[in-house]
Amino acid sequence: MADRRGDGMRQQPPYSSGHQERVFDGGGGSSGGPAFGNDYDPGSSYMSLLGSGVNPQQLLPAPPAWAVEEVAPPTINITPQFSMANYVPTSSYQQQQHQTAASFVAPLAANLHPYKSSSSSYFQADPLPQWPPRAMAPSPSSSLLPRNFTLHQTPAYPHHHEQQMHMQLLRAAALGGPHAAPAPPIEQPAKDGYNWRKYGQKQLKDAESPRSYYKCTRDACPVKKIVERSFDGCIKEITYKGRHTHPRPPEPRRAGAEDVAAPGSAHQEDELSDDEDDGEEGHDIGSGAGGPAGQRVVRKHKIILQTPSEVDLLDDGYRWRKYGQKVVKGNPRPRYYILTSINQKC
DNA sequence: TTCATTTGACCACTA
DNA sequence: TTAGTGGTCAAATGA
């Protein structure tokens, strides 16, 4: 890869190879107006607190979605199966992940989900992602453990029945039920509704795979994102820079998806995003509307996650692990799932 | 022909 | 001050 020089010059601490989420904002957004990018609320949507009745905001500071750097040190040991898939994403990264990994699953399950909630339909609004990892030989130096990761586990799951139901639906979808969508095609870093153009790729020092640089294709939109993948091709880290100066482009609707997609159309998705932008998130820090892009404003926060179990293993050949739940207006539902481990799905 | 991606090189930041 | 590194540019290439 280009410009790969001086490998080994700088050693990173163990388990420091990724799972950071960073959102840099160039101040392009308005403090009062909607932020079109990074519209995922890291504070209120820390899919933490699975039905625990605890307001995530009580446990987590509400970092602005556009200026977050999660650098909390790891506090627990993760199972060997831990990979990108069960990394706990936050903020924009979480947005990416639940639109990527989750949309990988959710469109399948959405048709089967008994609840026509905004959660399933939210995913449904997304086209099928094209995201399976490339077949790559595992790197012996690659760590499956996340860095800067704090996990709080809860043994009890207050909505176990609901979770089971949802998992069954996901399982049926994964097995290819009558409503199951076709297998997602390959390639597409992270479908988040925006259009990106790759303008660079670079192999970083000690990186498992090259880092890809994307720009928003919309004219004059300063947003860039950097996608770093793990050895198996899973997205390990996504860093956003700046804010979109335009709304999310409308999603093309797939034939046959209208019915289930209706409750969760892009419009509702935007509504959700707007709701999530309420509060401190989305408030610019240090720069008002029209500020220069590229300003790096960083806030640190700790991820808190509570899950009923570390890994939910189904007999469908896939290893499912719920990595979070978002409480939406007092209606908690299992929402974000990610595929991990077996069969190398992300 | 157009547009997106790839990739080598250059620039700027930082320790 | 300098070397290493990450980020970006832009020509080449491919679809």
Side-chain angles (χ1 to χ4, degrees):
Chain A
M1 195 49 55
D3 204 13
R4 185 174 190 178
R5 292 168 283 186
D7 282 357
M9 287 297 296
R10 185 185 300 170
Q11 293 298 325
Q12 294 183 348
Y15 314 131
S16 65
S17 62
H19 307 298
Q20 269 191 329
E21 172 268 337
R22 288 174 289 201
V23 180
F24 304 145
D25 182 55
S30 167
S31 59
F36 299 118
N38 307 328
D39 50 6
Y40 193 81
D41 181 343
S44 61
S45 59
Y46 277 128
M47 16 65 154
S48 49
L49 318 166
L50 303 176
S52 62
V54 177
N55 182 359
Q57 302 284 11
Q58 294 174 347
L59 299 180
L60 292 172
W66 52 274
V68 175
E69 181 170 40
E70 186 251 310
V71 291
T75 57
I76 65 165
N77 292 327
I78 311 298
T79 64
Q81 288 83 10
F82 196 100
S83 67
M84 169 52 215
N86 43 21
Y87 159 59
V88 177
T90 64
S91 185
S92 63
Y93 182 85
Q94 179 178 343
Q95 172 194 355
Q96 287 291 323
Q97 280 301 317
H98 84 96
Q99 289 188 352
T100 302
S103 61
F104 175 80
V105 171
L108 306 178
N111 292 338
L112 306 173
H113 203 293
Y115 313 114
K116 288 233 172 178
S117 67
S118 61
S119 60
S120 60
S121 56
Y122 174 79
F123 297 126
Q124 190 68 25
D126 283 336
L128 285 176
Q130 301 175 328
W131 173 240
R134 300 182 299 274
M136 298 175 66
S139 167
S141 62
S142 63
S143 169
L144 294 179
L145 294 176
R147 75 177 175 209
N148 309 327
F149 179 76
T150 300
L151 176 64
H152 295 250
Q153 277 197 278
T154 303
Y157 185 66
H159 301 284
H160 185 67
H161 175 71
E162 186 179 54
Q163 185 203 26
Q164 281 188 326
M165 178 182 299
H166 196 83
M167 293 299 287
Q168 288 174 353
L169 293 168
L170 290 171
R171 171 185 172 186
L175 289 172
H179 301 285
I186 308 232
E187 200 63 49
Q188 182 105 18
K191 187 64 182 177
D192 57 5
Y194 292 94
N195 298 318
W196 303 93
R197 189 178 78 85
K198 188 175 184 178
Y199 68 91
Q201 178 173 308
K202 187 167 190 171
Q203 178 67 49
L204 302 186
K205 173 183 172 298
D206 291 340
E208 297 167 348
S209 62
R211 175 177 291 181
S212 299
Y213 299 89
Y214 296 87
K215 287 179 180 177
C216 183
T217 57
R218 182 65 66 94
D219 288 342
C221 182
V223 178
K224 298 175 183 178
K225 75 175 179 182
I226 303 169
V227 177
E228 190 171 344
R229 301 182 188 279
S230 60
F231 69 92
D232 56 358
C234 295
I235 294 176
K236 185 171 68 176
E237 176 178 329
I238 297 177
T239 302
Y240 284 92
K241 294 185 177 182
R243 275 178 172 273
H244 291 281
T245 57
H246 56 90
R248 184 194 306 267
E251 298 278 356
R253 307 187 80 175
R254 288 180 291 112
E258 282 76 8
D259 290 343
V260 290
S265 63
H267 175 64
Q268 285 203 0
E269 180 177 340
D270 288 342
E271 284 182 347
L272 176 62
S273 300
D274 290 342
D275 289 343
E276 290 167 350
D277 274 342
D278 290 341
E280 293 187 20
E281 296 75 27
H283 289 200
D284 286 351
I285 292 179
S287 62
Q295 248 181 4
R296 176 174 176 168
V297 183
V298 175
R299 277 187 59 175
K300 302 178 180 180
H301 66 270
K302 180 173 67 177
I303 301 171
I304 298 176
L305 170 70
Q306 295 179 342
T307 65
S309 62
E310 182 65 27
V311 172
D312 290 306
L313 182 61
L314 301 177
D315 58 358
D316 58 4
Y318 293 84
R319 184 182 294 271
W320 297 93
R321 179 181 181 276
K322 182 179 181 181
Y323 67 88
Q325 172 178 336
K326 177 178 171 57
V327 178
V328 179
K329 293 182 178 178
N331 186 23
R333 288 215 197 305
R335 179 171 293 187
Y336 308 126
Y337 288 85
I338 199 163
L339 201 50
T340 176
S341 191
I342 299 176
N343 293 343
Q344 296 296 310
K345 300 298 186 299
C346 301

